[in-house]
Amino acid sequence: MSNEKVPGGSAEKSKPIGVFDSGIGGLTVVNALRTLLPNESIFYLGDTARVPYGGKSASTVQRYSLEIAALLLEEDAKTVVVACNTASAVALSQLTASVPVTVTGVILPGAQAAIAATRTGHVGVIGTRATINSGAYERVLRSLDSEIRVTARACPLLVPLIEEGWLERPITDQIIMQYVGPLVDEGIDTLVLGCTHYPLLRNAMARLLGDTITLVDSAENCANAVHELLIRENLRAPETNAGSLQVALTDPPDSFLRIAREALQLDVGEVQLRDVTAHAPL
Ligand code: DGL
């Protein structure tokens, strides 16, 4: 596959934005995209057959990501959004090198927002084990500001709690504080929610941490980055477009789809089932 990026032309503009995540959590990014860019159509692929990615090796997540990108290109995606922090952390450079349209991950937009938000220069990052072990957030944050202090922590219990729908429970509050309390004690003033599931815990975290800690949500900032990219590449859908959302999963939906749909108040319509392994990786 060549590295040549597809130029923006009138036919290109109405094509969908291809979005993927390891599962349902990336719908937080879709929600932010739908709010910001209602004229854009979105094709979302959630790899529910192989979720979670957060405990898997980088090479496995890279292979999965390239297979999914191949499917999104077949769906005519005009740009690809990696709505998964783990895949953004370990597979973004492989995707960028292999995919002939621009690829946007969630790490850079989240890091930029954190740099803009911090007053003390001490930023906390939470995410899956793979995301935190990759050091991707530290690298990007330091490339933006070499003086920045970063304290990162993997929070592997949060994804299962969210998928269980335990968004407002005393046990969830306790686990959040077990993970995040030490970061607060160390003096962070900004916390990057470095996992696509975590925006669903935003209310609980805001309640627990109060307004001394600024929460940075990768979903909203990723949507802003996609908006800027579409303008830059002259790929904005015409204003007359009624943007649509097509959701495809690799395994039949479970209760988490209902939980996410209710929490986000997102109309996902009829869900398709797709097999990404039928696609040769790029
Ligand atoms: N989507 C993943 C992320 O944002 C969380 C779920 C998983 O471990 O696959 O890191």
Side-chain angles (χ1 to χ4, degrees):
M1 182 76 60
S2 93
N3 280 338
E4 199 187 323
K5 306 289 174 196
V6 177
S10 56
E12 300 296 325
K13 295 181 183 178
S14 301
K15 290 181 172 181
I17 300 171
V19 182
F20 80 90
D21 176 41
S22 55
I24 304 288
L27 288 177
T28 55
V29 175
V30 168
N31 197 38
L33 284 168
R34 296 286 286 157
T35 305
L36 189 65
L37 305 168
N39 306 119
E40 298 292 339
S41 293
I42 297 173
F43 183 94
Y44 176 87
L45 191 286
D47 195 6
T48 45
R50 302 186 293 195
V51 71
Y53 286 7
K56 295 198 167 72
S57 68
S59 63
T60 297
V61 175
Q62 286 159 5
R63 176 164 54 84
Y64 291 174
S65 301
L66 290 170
E67 284 172 357
I68 295 169
L71 180 142
L72 295 178
L73 292 177
E74 242 179 62
E75 291 295 328
D76 245 356
K78 64 183 173 185
T79 190
V80 167
V81 178
V82 188
C84 174
N85 281 263
T86 303
S88 298
V90 304
L92 194 68
S93 51
Q94 285 79 2
L95 286 163
T96 304
S98 311
V99 173
V101 295
T102 305
V103 181
T104 306
V106 281
I107 308 258
L108 177 61
Q112 284 168 329
I115 297 284
T118 185
R119 297 165 308 280
T120 62
H122 189 176
V123 170
V125 180
I126 53 173
T128 65
R129 281 206 172 95
T131 298
I132 300 305
N133 290 344
S134 75
Y137 270 105
E138 280 100 320
R139 261 196 312 282
V140 175
L141 282 162
R142 294 221 170 88
S143 75
L144 296 171
D145 177 352
S146 58
E147 305 281 291
I148 203 84
R149 187 163 165 217
V150 184
T151 306
R153 176 129 201 216
C155 305
L157 292 177
L158 294 185
V159 164
L161 285 168
I162 294 164
E163 296 201 341
E164 201 56 37
W166 291 11
L167 307 181
E168 290 284 348
R169 296 255 181 139
I171 184 83
T172 308
D173 287 359
Q174 275 176 30
I175 291 173
I176 290 172
M177 287 317 289
Q178 284 273 329
Y179 283 137
V180 179
L183 275 60
V184 175
D185 293 343
E186 277 196 45
I188 63 160
D189 75 337
T190 300
L191 180 65
V192 179
L193 308 184
C195 171
T196 39
H197 282 56
Y198 297 172
L200 297 178
L201 288 181
R202 203 186 169 104
N203 290 345
M205 291 202 193
R207 174 172 45 73
L208 291 165
L209 300 175
D211 36 356
T212 48
I213 307 286
T214 305
L215 299 177
V216 170
D217 176 335
S218 52
E220 224 172 88
N221 294 300
C222 180
N224 290 334
V226 174
H227 185 198
E228 283 164 24
L229 161 85
L230 294 178
I231 293 171
R232 207 167 49 238
E233 296 197 346
N234 194 21
L235 282 175
R236 282 286 272 125
E239 279 186 13
T240 47
N241 258 36
S244 62
L245 170 61
Q246 176 62 61
V247 173
L249 301 176
T250 54
D251 202 55
D254 61 9
S255 57
F256 185 43
L257 181 61
R258 181 184 49 74
I259 290 160
R261 211 163 29 194
E262 280 172 16
L264 299 170
Q265 300 193 320
L266 186 66
D267 181 7
V268 301
E270 204 173 311
V271 174
Q272 285 180 21
L273 258 191
R274 300 292 289 269
D275 178 7
V276 274
T277 55
H279 294 262
L282 293 166

